[in-house]
């Protein structure tokens, strides 16, 4: 795709976003959206059946079957995956997924139990499907994860899934651009997840709506690919269309050698192109924000959206700190959580810990968790669900000896899937119980009807699993 | 897709901010493989008790309020990309959602299902909530061609924004796939170019 670099329509300095967007424009609708070509489409069982039905109703084939990667993850059990799925409605959805893959001759289909099966945003990067400079979509809002590689990646609805299957294109209005720079270094015990929760707490859940965000600055540059994926993953939680990070040596080293990554001469050509994928000096963003990484401490959420976050040592805001139009929602939220305005949460007893999801279900997350619990014991009052993001992550956990450490500390590992992040399967937190969760959403009922979610990093989750309370992992 | 021209209707008020798609349709209802029946589970956890009986204090269970226009607090439809949220709203019978702010993906999903999201000023929204508080039979008129929304209690009107292309689609009942399929040769030309 080395010719892509010639298609930029705007003269003068361009942003990373502009360069990739302009290289994928097929046509523009007058006074309307852009027809954008999609390089990689990821597909899962929950948001795709109606799209395949749509193709059938119109008598259409899938236009480019090799550009769609299919994995079952949302509505799958995390135990006994070798057995038939017990819930008949879930089983029907998984069977429908398999039937669609077969009927439409989809070559990249990874059902339950397949060695490449796992959470869609984990298996994409780990198999080399996700590459710099690409446009990537999936019927899932956390598709923003793939932006960590310097790609334009965003979530779409099922009608749009149908468009991509039918034409490998989508109609999109060009979003505004925002750059968020994190200067300096993160402190000890402060992780990529904390950086993201801090940012969302400053911007609120709608603060980046209408924008595509580029993350920059020393704290971002210093991050591994896993950490960058965590940050980009959470872009949607402040409403952003997506988030991205310019590719660099860290990115190239991660992609190189993966199964679906380019090889040989093609690799050299792509690499030359990927190296120009950065925002030019003097390029204009519609909005710029700058934070100091040193201001961030381990974060937790106290409410029912990801913007309701605070430093672990801080107190929930008081009612007079909330603007008047938002007070009904604020009180409703605290009432649901069983918390008081102005209250501190450190030391509060919790019931469940969930390590996993497309936000924090990668090998580094398990390393952090295992490193903290090594030589300690899980608190008796805590039920812990440790769910690797894919079979590859699961295998690595075993190979690195992390499973032995976890087992010694009283933990068990489950099988891959989205699990308690959205609780479509049996991994549901009971009503009224508190879960410290490494996932991405603390919405009412997200982890089960009545469940109370406190979002946090894998490190904070590990500390909570050991003490049975909300605990500052730096202490 | 059904055509949309103008609509005058009583309204269902939901003065909550940041209503996310997990509230609109909880994840456990996403196991279906077709688009039907989601309206019955719209706002399920706010609408029903555990035993399935209706919660008396939720607006959809209050016989004072009805109509095909939902009026909600700011940042409606945040969170998950699930189009099931738009199917639930359309399936229940809403044709318009009015708010001062919508999440991006929900807005697209709504438009792709013939549901019109109408963005109004915070002031207009607050006046509608006050008006419906005083009289539950207050109506709004939404005129797509002229891009106006009118609070018929006060007679106050506001213009709303909509992408010209999407407006044409709604007025004519066309969808994006029809458009994209007509561009097949351009897509193939693009693929040749990048090879």
């Amino acid at each position: 795709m080395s010719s892509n670099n010639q298609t930029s329509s705007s003269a003068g300095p361009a942003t990373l976003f502009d360069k990739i967007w302009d290289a994928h424009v097929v046509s523009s609708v007058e006074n309307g959206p852009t027809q954008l070509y999609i390089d990689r489409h990821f597909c899962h069982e929950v948001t795709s059946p109606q799209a395949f039905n749509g193709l059938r109703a119109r008598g259409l084939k899938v236009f480019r079957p090799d550009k769609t990667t299919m994995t079952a993850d949302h509505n799958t059990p995390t135990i006994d995956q070798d057995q038939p799925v017990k819930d008949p409605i879930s089983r029907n959805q998984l069977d429908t997924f398999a039937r669609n893959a077969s009927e439409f001759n989809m070559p990249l289909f990874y059902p339950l139990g397949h060695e490449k099966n796992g959470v869609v945003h984990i298996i994409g990067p780990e198999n080399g499907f996700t590459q710099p400079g690409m446009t990537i979509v999936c019927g899932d809002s956390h598709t923003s994860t793939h932006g960590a590689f310097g790609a334009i990646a965003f979530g779409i609805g099922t009608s749009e899934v149908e468009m991509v299957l039918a034409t490998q294109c989508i109609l999109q209005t060009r979003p505004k651009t925002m750059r968020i720079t994190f200067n300096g270094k993160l402190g000890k015990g402060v992780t990529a997840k904390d950086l993201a929760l801090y940012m969302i707490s400053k911007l609120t859940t709608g603060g980046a709506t209408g924008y595509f965000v580029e993350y920059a600055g020393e704290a971002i540059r210093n991050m591994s690919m896993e950490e960058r994926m965590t940050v980009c993953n959470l872009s949607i939680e402040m409403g952003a269309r997506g988030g991205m990070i310019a590719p660099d040596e860290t990115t190239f080293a991660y992609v190189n050698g993966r199964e679906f990554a380019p090889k040989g001469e093609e690799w050299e050509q792509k690499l030359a192109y990927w190296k120009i994928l950065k925002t030019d000096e003097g390029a204009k963003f519609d909005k710029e924000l700058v934070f100091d990484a040193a201001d961030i401490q381990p974060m937790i959420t106290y409410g029912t959206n990801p913007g309701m976050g605070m430093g672990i040592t801080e107190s929930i805001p008081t009612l007079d700190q909330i603007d008047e139009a938002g007070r009904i929602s604020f009180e409703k939220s605290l009432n649901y959580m069983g918390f008081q305005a102005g209250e501190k949460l450190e030391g509060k007893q919790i019931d469940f810990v969930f390590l996993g999801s497309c936000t924090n279900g990668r090998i580094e997350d398990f390393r952090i968790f295992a490193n903290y619990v090594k030589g300690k014991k899980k608190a008796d009052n805590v039920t812990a669900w440790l769910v690797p993001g894919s079979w590859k992550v699961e295998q690595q956990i075993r190979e690195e000896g992390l499973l032995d450490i976890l087992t010694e500390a009283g933990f068990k590992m489950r099988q891959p899937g989205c699990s308690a992040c959205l609780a479509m399967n049996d991994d549901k937190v009971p009503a009224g119980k508190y879960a410290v969760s490494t996932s991405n959403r603390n919405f009412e009922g997200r982890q089960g009807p009545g469940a109370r979610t406190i979002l946090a990093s894998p490190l904070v989750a590990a500390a909570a699993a050991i003490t049975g309370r909300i605990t500052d992992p730096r202490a | 897709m059904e055509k949309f021209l103008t609509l005058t209707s009583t309204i269902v008020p939901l003065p909550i901010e940041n209503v996310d798609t997990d509230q609109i349709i909880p994840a456990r209802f996403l196991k279906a493989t077709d688009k039907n029946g989601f309206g019955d589970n719209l706002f399920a956890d706010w609408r029903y008790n555990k035993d399935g009986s209706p919660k008396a204090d939720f607006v959809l269970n209050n016989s004072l309020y009805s109509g095909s226009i939902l009026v909600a607090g700011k940042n409606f439809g945040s969170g998950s990309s699930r189009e099931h949220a738009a199917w639930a709203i359309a399936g229940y019978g809403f044709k318009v959602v009015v708010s001062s702010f919508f999440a991006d993906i929900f807005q697209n999903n709504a438009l792709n299902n013939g549901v019109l999201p109408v963005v109004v000023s915070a002031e207009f929204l607050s006046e509608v909530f006050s008006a419906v508080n005083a009289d539950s039979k207050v109506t709004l008129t939404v005129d797509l061609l002229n891009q106006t929304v009118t609070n018929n209690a006060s007679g106050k009107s506001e213009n709303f924004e909509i992408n010209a292309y999407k407006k044409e689609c709604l007025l004519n009942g066309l969808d994006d796939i029809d458009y994209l399929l007509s561009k097949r040769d351009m897509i193939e030309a693009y693929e040749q170019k990048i090879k």
Side-chain angles (χ1 to χ4, degrees):
Chain A
M1 215 184 289
S2 51
S3 63
N4 274 1
N5 55 3
Q6 299 158 5
T7 53
S8 180
S9 60
S10 47
T15 65
L16 168 63
F17 177 85
D18 295 331
K19 291 179 185 182
I20 301 174
W21 178 278
D22 291 344
H24 289 84
V25 175
V26 175
S27 78
S28 293
V29 184
E30 206 179 329
N31 297 319
T34 304
Q35 179 186 357
L36 213 56
Y37 192 82
I38 300 303
D39 295 319
R40 176 57 46 195
H41 173 220
F42 292 105
C43 183
H44 65 81
E45 77 280 19
V46 174
T47 58
S48 68
Q50 295 85 354
F52 283 105
N53 286 346
L55 295 185
R56 260 184 221 106
R58 293 171 195 255
L60 295 170
K61 290 181 178 164
V62 173
F63 184 57
R64 297 288 179 249
D66 60 333
K67 290 186 188 284
T68 289
T69 306
M70 301 173 75
T71 180
D73 58 359
H74 278 66
N75 188 11
T76 56
T78 55
I79 50 164
D80 301 331
Q81 287 188 2
D82 55 331
Q83 307 291 315
V85 172
K86 283 191 188 126
D87 173 5
I89 311 173
S90 298
R91 195 169 64 233
N92 177 56
Q93 194 171 54
L94 291 163
D95 290 348
T96 302
F97 193 53
R99 214 164 37 244
N100 287 334
S102 149
E103 192 180 320
F104 288 89
N105 297 309
M106 308 299 282
L108 305 168
F109 172 61
Y110 308 132
L112 267 194
H114 192 286
E115 58 169 11
K116 290 194 181 69
N117 175 263
V119 177
V120 60
H121 308 309
I122 307 247
I123 68 144
E126 77 183 4
N127 288 293
F129 289 114
T130 303
Q131 296 165 23
M134 281 183 158
T135 46
I136 299 173
V137 295
C138 172
D140 188 281
S141 60
H142 293 108
T143 307
S144 58
T145 311
H146 307 266
F149 291 78
I152 292 182
F154 53 91
I156 56 176
T158 299
S159 295
E160 294 168 311
V161 170
E162 189 179 335
M163 289 174 214
V164 176
L165 289 171
T167 68
Q168 206 56 39
C169 287
I170 196 169
L171 290 175
Q172 284 292 298
T173 304
R174 191 182 187 118
K176 291 180 280 187
T177 56
M178 184 190 301
R179 177 161 60 190
I180 305 181
T181 304
F182 288 92
N183 290 323
K185 293 184 172 66
L186 290 172
K188 190 172 168 288
V190 184
T191 68
K193 179 68 166 286
D194 302 304
L195 177 145
L197 288 175
Y198 173 85
M199 168 177 72
I200 302 162
S201 77
K202 296 293 178 197
L203 272 94
T204 78
T205 60
T209 301
Y211 290 89
F212 211 100
V213 178
E214 180 179 344
Y215 301 105
E218 184 187 357
I220 300 289
R221 272 301 131 218
N222 286 341
M223 285 183 183
S224 67
M225 285 318 295
E226 280 83 353
E227 293 172 305
R228 292 179 190 186
M229 283 190 254
T230 298
V231 174
C232 288
N233 171 279
L234 290 163
S235 303
I236 181 68
E237 306 311 335
M238 52 186 185
R241 204 71 190 85
M244 69 201 311
I245 295 170
D248 58 13
E249 292 305 323
T250 305
T251 321
F252 309 143
Y254 180 99
V255 176
N256 194 5
R258 292 188 188 258
E259 188 175 338
F260 290 87
K263 308 268 182 325
E265 202 180 314
E266 197 198 353
W267 168 264
E268 294 304 328
Q269 277 178 11
K270 289 258 164 115
L271 190 61
Y273 171 54
W274 294 348
K275 284 183 174 171
I276 64 157
L277 290 178
K278 56 181 99 172
T279 292
D280 298 330
E281 191 106 10
K284 282 264 178 291
F285 289 84
D286 295 300
K287 193 170 183 176
E288 291 241 31
L289 293 174
V290 180
F291 294 108
D292 189 345
D295 289 344
I296 306 171
Q297 58 159 309
M299 295 287 294
I300 51 171
T301 60
Y302 57 84
T304 56
N305 72 57
M308 299 175 84
M310 63 182 187
I312 195 162
T313 61
E314 292 173 349
S315 307
I316 297 174
T318 51
L319 203 57
D320 59 309
Q321 292 172 282
I322 306 297
D323 74 73
E324 219 172 305
R327 283 185 192 165
I328 297 177
S329 307
F330 179 76
E331 287 188 296
K332 183 176 188 304
S333 178
L334 290 192
N335 186 41
Y336 179 87
M337 291 300 292
F339 295 150
Q340 306 295 319
E343 189 182 15
K344 266 192 181 291
L345 295 185
E346 211 182 343
K348 200 137 192 126
Q349 191 165 316
I350 56 105
D351 310 290
F352 283 74
V353 165
F354 172 55
L355 174 66
S357 84
C358 59
T359 310
N360 283 125
R362 297 182 187 82
I363 187 64
E364 279 192 5
D365 302 313
F366 279 81
R367 286 184 193 137
I368 288 171
F369 192 98
N371 185 49
Y372 186 92
V373 304
K374 189 173 183 175
K376 304 185 177 86
K377 286 283 178 208
K378 181 182 80 65
D380 289 337
N381 64 303
V382 170
T383 303
W385 290 327
L386 275 47
V387 184
S390 70
W391 283 110
K392 291 204 168 159
V393 172
E394 200 255 16
Q395 193 187 349
Q396 214 170 338
I397 291 167
R398 289 177 191 277
E399 285 170 4
E400 292 185 11
L402 303 181
L403 185 57
D404 299 331
I405 294 170
L406 295 169
T407 307
E408 184 65 26
F411 295 93
K412 284 185 194 142
M413 181 166 61
R414 298 175 79 89
Q415 294 172 326
C418 297
S419 179
C421 175
L422 83 167
M424 273 192 81
N425 64 3
D426 289 341
D427 307 346
K428 289 180 173 62
V429 175
K433 298 291 184 189
Y434 290 100
V436 173
S437 178
T438 68
S439 54
N440 40 56
R441 290 187 174 135
N442 50 350
F443 297 152
E444 285 186 32
R446 174 80 179 184
Q447 298 196 287
R452 292 160 161 171
T453 302
I454 297 158
L455 297 176
S457 73
L459 187 60
V460 170
I466 295 301
T467 62
R469 296 172 181 281
I470 294 175
T471 302
D472 188 339
R474 299 169 300 181
Chain B
M1 216 165 63
E2 227 174 285
K3 291 182 186 182
F4 188 105
L5 300 166
T6 68
L7 174 71
T8 297
S9 170
T10 51
I11 64 178
V12 176
L14 187 64
I16 305 287
E17 296 186 349
N18 303 314
V19 174
D20 58 76
T21 51
D22 273 84
Q23 306 320 313
I24 299 173
I25 185 85
R28 63 184 185 281
F29 298 114
L30 309 187
K31 298 180 181 183
T33 55
D34 59 27
K35 299 182 184 178
N36 305 323
F38 289 104
D40 294 341
N41 293 313
L42 175 66
F43 298 119
D45 289 340
W46 288 349
R47 190 169 159 194
Y48 304 114
N49 292 305
K50 237 180 162 177
D51 63 5
S53 60
K55 287 183 179 175
D57 60 352
F58 187 61
V59 67
L60 293 191
N61 300 322
N62 187 337
S63 57
L64 275 177
Y65 303 102
S66 63
S68 47
I69 301 178
L70 177 67
V71 183
K74 82 168 178 205
N75 197 25
F76 186 82
S78 58
S80 155
S81 65
R82 60 187 69 162
E83 195 159 317
H84 312 67
W87 300 333
I89 283 178
Y92 183 83
F94 289 121
K95 303 219 177 298
V96 170
V97 185
V98 174
S99 178
S100 55
F101 196 84
F102 288 94
D104 277 341
I105 306 180
F106 174 80
Q107 197 157 4
N108 275 346
N109 286 343
L111 286 165
N112 283 334
N113 287 280
V115 173
L116 178 62
V118 173
V119 183
V120 297
S121 66
E123 189 194 354
F124 187 93
L125 185 68
S126 150
E127 283 175 14
V128 173
F129 283 137
S130 301
V132 76
N133 242 340
D135 173 9
S136 64
K137 296 303 166 210
V138 157
T139 61
L140 293 186
T141 298
V142 176
D143 178 342
L144 178 58
L145 192 64
N146 295 307
Q147 295 179 225
T148 58
V149 52
T150 307
N151 174 351
N152 295 318
S154 62
K156 202 167 160 185
S157 244
E158 237 183 46
N159 290 316
F160 64 87
E161 296 284 322
I162 181 171
N163 181 302
Y165 163 81
K166 278 293 177 194
K167 180 177 169 179
E168 280 303 303
C169 285
L170 279 179
L171 288 172
N172 297 305
L174 296 173
D175 66 27
D176 287 354
I177 296 184
D178 298 326
Y179 178 85
L180 287 171
L181 287 170
S182 73
K183 300 286 173 197
R184 236 343 147 68
D185 49 344
M186 289 186 79
I187 300 168
E188 281 170 356
Y190 174 87
E191 287 179 330
Q192 283 307 316
K193 191 183 75 178
I194 60 165
K195 252 191 185 150

